Amino acid sequence: MHSGNITIENITKIEGSAGLDVTIENGKVIDVKFKIQDSRRFYTDAVKKKPLISAPSFLSRICGTCSVAHLFATIKAIENSQEIEVTEQTKTLRRLAYDALMIRDHALHLYFFVLPDLLGLDSILDIPDDHDNLGHTLLHDSFDIKQLGTDISEVVIGAAIHAPIPTIGGFLKLPDESKFPELLERLEKIRPQVLRGIKAFYDYDASLEQDVDYVALRNESKFDFLEGTLISLDGRKIPPEKFLEHFDVVVVPYSQSEGYVFSDNHGNYVLGALARINLNKDTLNPRTLDDTKEFLSIFPSKNIYHNNLAQAIEILHCVDDAIEILKNIKIVDEKPIKKPLKAGVGIGVIEAPRGTLYHKAVIDEKGVVVDYDVIVPTSQNQIAIENDLKKYFNENLDKNEEKLKFDAESIIRAYDPCMSCATNFLKIDWIRK
């Protein structure tokens, strides 16, 4: 293919709507546009003038599948604005709830969206109904893994999506400890299935490497999605409250989302499970470390397809972390911590399934939201996605159109982007010049 336009109107098997335009002249790619197409929904404007107590539940509606991430980021931002320090029990139960989120969300992405790419198929519906088939086995593993994540969420926070129990200062209701033994038994039982998935994504031989930096939260004492300092492979250390001092917005005129680069050198960066394992693999649960030594040896990696493997390893970490918590926690009766309302600014930075999520709350003296800001990981990954696609097309223009389409989508899916919660079918137009 020497010249022409490649247009993918809707990328399939991602969360939300995105498209791709590629312009080729004289055998070279001269332009790539990765377009996030979901319309803006103005949650951060709509939350203004509302009492702070309503903000977490309201802003969790930004996303369905990872609503718990937005819920906890909002709670953290509000708590920081009010100088509320929660109890160790609350921190532990939030960690358990977050383990459940990662187990469920990563399983959805890996087994329902990426597994067809690994098998060279279009959809999980094309996986043969054959018990000796690896795809069949992995798909049925995914049902068990995803269901377990959902069930832990329901026990700890009341629901896997738009959970009603977490609140500012703690929990409205504490979990029923009598349900812990069954969850423990199921977590132990699921480990071989999770390890089978790790091996499958380790064997997935797709590769696309870029010389790019990686950013994630790091807690020196444990692998942590909720607490830490932002670090990067090149040695940056960024306190969460200084987030906006280190990243600049880039207007992307053809997309419904802005992009982000480092403020000092305007370099782009990558977020997500790959960044977390690249930067924090030494802090994984000891049991996870023991059982994944072979797979962890390839990290740090700059192959974006290894984001899938990193997610599979994070599932095992979350299983092992949940086992550790459920074995040791003793629930004591306590109420959410409350303080007199005050004016303040609070930052909540956590690791969502897809990478670093930023929430900023500005509260007045009456406890009303004056201003709110959210920066999601897919926006921050947008420029890296475009650069990867440009590199791929420049190196593979000799391939046929169907192969180019399949690989382009698999690259985008490797980032696990989340534009909204709808999955769309693909329409592609090829216009030759």
Side-chain angles (χ1 to χ4, degrees), residues 358-382:
Y358 171 92
H359 278 230
K360 178 184 178 182
V362 181
I363 310 298
D364 71 12
E365 68 280 357
K366 295 180 180 179
V368 173
V369 178
V370 175
D371 196 15
Y372 209 94
D373 190 19
V374 175
I375 300 173
V376 300
T378 295
S379 295
Q380 298 176 73
N381 277 335
Q382 183 171 196

Side-chain angles (χ1 to χ4, degrees), residues 18 90 161 180 187 219 264 285 309 385 393 412:
T90 291
I161 297 174
F180 289 0
L187 284 161
N219 183 332
D264 55 0
N285 185 281
L309 173 59
I385 292 172
F393 278 105
I412 294 167

Side-chain angles (χ1 to χ4, degrees), residues 21-25 28-33 254 386 390:
D21 287 340
V22 182
T23 303
I24 305 159
E25 287 187 6
K28 296 189 75 172
V29 175
I30 62 169
D31 192 30
V32 172
K33 291 185 173 72
Y254 45 83
E386 272 196 357
K390 187 176 292 184

Side-chain angles (χ1 to χ4, degrees), residues 3 14 35 52 77 115 121 143 161 166 203 311-312 340 344 394 405:
S3 61
I14 58 172
K35 303 177 294 183
L52 61 80
L115 182 59
L121 302 173
F143 300 149
I161 297 174
D203 291 339
Q311 284 193 347
N394 268 321
K405 178 192 76 172

